[in-house]
């Protein structure tokens, strides 16, 4: 397997995405969930091929992405699904909102499990619901879903759970046993589980990931998977997400969505995603090798230069949840890091009140960038 080509900062700064345009050029941008690596050749070819064919009109349905994703899921996670169960829309946030709109009455509660991806606090509200927080549990073994808290929430009227699987910002991969318990609760209380599995391709040991819909009949009867190639292959701006339902009840939820939900899909994103799933695994594995090395490098750097910072190595993705309370940088250490170290981190408070004193760091970069970032943060302690 050939190594992944890494581009220098001066080349990366020519990009126009939010990662490279939000802050001045003296800031190292390690905040938003976007990697620095060049596109997978198969993905680039697919998109360029559509442009060369002047094929940039409206989509005519999921087309090749259903079979491509089904093949990827079978190879990667031993998940057998019918390609006909795959629908598309613009992005996972839209997929979440439109799915929740099908199951909620105005004001119905949707459970979220902070600390969690910041839009989860807003998407259920956009769909007409209200938020019910059931925070994750934390002990010496790590983080976990609060199954008793979930049952209490369902028993007192919550209609849906917005599940982050794997969990952002922790890189937590929920076990099959835990997901089976969640599915049984959904079946018991007639609730819907919307499982956001956008980070699933970035699980370091693929066999450790369990797609929610693969768990049980309860999961299929009460669950909808929403996912995309956007995180695994770094194509968030191409706008193609998947919605997957594998039971008559949940297929109906997708079928009853307005036609426009699917029509909003980008044709470039659709063909790029299909190429990623069908031809992009070798590239993905090269990325995972770099990320795995980086997550270990970050541990070594923090141990040597910032031992006050707590860090548990993630089992998925390129996001590190840093406990920076020991530095004395206040409830929003990301603000201090930006001002004093010129390193942009994602503020922990965006992920819920449990994020006070925390920040999320994106290590999907070159090792020398990570080394420079930690050196800057270390130096900022004396300022």
């Amino acid at each position: 397997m050939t190594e992944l080509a890494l581009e220098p900062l001066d080349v990366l700064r020519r990009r126009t995405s939010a990662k490279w345009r939000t802050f001045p050029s003296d800031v190292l941008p390690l905040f938003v969930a976007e990697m620095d690596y060049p596109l997978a050749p198969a993905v680039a070819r697919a998109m360029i091929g559509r442009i060369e064919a002047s094929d940039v009109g409206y989509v005519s349905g999921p087309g090749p992405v259903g079979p491509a994703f089904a093949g990827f899921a079978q190879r990667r996670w031993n998940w057998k699904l019918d390609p006909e169960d795959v629908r598309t829309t613009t992005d996972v946030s839209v997929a979440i909102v439109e799915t929740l709109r099908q199951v909620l009455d105005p004001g119905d509660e949707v459970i979220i499990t902070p600390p969690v991806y910041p839009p989860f606090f807003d998407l259920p509200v956009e769909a007409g619901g209200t938020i019910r927080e059931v925070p994750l549990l934390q002990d010496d073994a790590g983080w976990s879903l609060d199954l008793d808290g979930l049952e209490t929430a369902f028993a007192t009227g919550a209609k849906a759970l917005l599940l982050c699987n794997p969990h952002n910002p922790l890189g937590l991969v929920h076990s099959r046993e835990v997901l089976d318990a969640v599915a049984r609760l959904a079946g018991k209380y007639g609730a819907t589980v919307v499982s956001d599995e956008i980070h699933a391709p970035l699980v370091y040991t693929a066999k450790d990931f369990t797609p929610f819909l693969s768990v049980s009949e309860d999961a299929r009867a009460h669950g909808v998977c929403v996912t995309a190639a956007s995180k695994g292959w770094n194509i968030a701006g191409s706008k193609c997400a998947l919605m997957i339902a594998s039971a008559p009840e949940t297929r109906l939820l997708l079928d009853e969505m307005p036609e426009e939900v699917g029509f909003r899909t980008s044709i470039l994103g659709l063909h790029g995603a299909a190429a990623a799933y069908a031809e992009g695994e070798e590239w993905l594995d090269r990325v995972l090798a770099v990320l795995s090395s980086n997550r270990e490098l970050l541990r070594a750097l923090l141990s040597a230069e910032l031992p006050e910072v707590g860090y548990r190595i993630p089992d998925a993705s390129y996001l590190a949840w840093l406990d920076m309370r020991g530095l004395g940088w206040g409830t929003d250490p990301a603000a201090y890091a930006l001002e004093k170290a010129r390193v942009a981190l994602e503020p922990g408070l965006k992920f819920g009140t449990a994020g006070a004193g925390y920040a999320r760091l994106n290590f999907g970069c070159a090792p020398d960038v990570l080394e420079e970032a930690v050196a800057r943060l270390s130096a900022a302690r004396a300022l």
Side-chain angles (χ1 to χ4, degrees), residues 119-149:
F120 277 27
F121 292 89
D122 301 318
L123 299 175
V125 177
E126 184 179 345
T130 57
I131 298 295
R132 175 75 172 264
E133 294 188 26
V134 179
L136 295 177
L137 300 176
Q138 184 182 20
D139 58 25
D140 291 341
W143 299 82
S144 61
L145 288 171
D146 181 356
L147 294 173
D148 290 338

Side-chain angles (χ1 to χ4, degrees), residues 135-184:
L136 295 177
L137 300 176
Q138 184 182 20
D139 58 25
D140 291 341
W143 299 82
S144 61
L145 288 171
D146 181 356
L147 294 173
D148 290 338
L150 292 180
E151 177 153 28
T152 297
F154 285 135
T156 54
K159 294 295 180 64
L161 165 65
L162 185 46
L163 180 68
C164 205
N165 178 41
H167 193 100
N168 173 9
L170 307 172
L172 169 65
V173 179
H174 302 300
S175 69
R176 175 175 290 274
E177 292 73 22
V178 166
L179 295 175
D180 181 57
V182 170
R184 282 187 274 110

Side-chain angles (χ1 to χ4, degrees), residues 302-317:
L302 292 173
S303 177
E305 302 185 48
L306 285 167
E308 307 93 333
V309 174
Y311 164 60
R312 183 181 294 275
I313 289 184
D315 293 322
S317 203

Side-chain angles (χ1 to χ4, degrees), residues 104-118:
L104 298 180
D105 291 323
D108 281 347
E109 287 187 336
V110 178
I111 302 167
I112 63 171
T113 56
V116 73
Y117 179 53

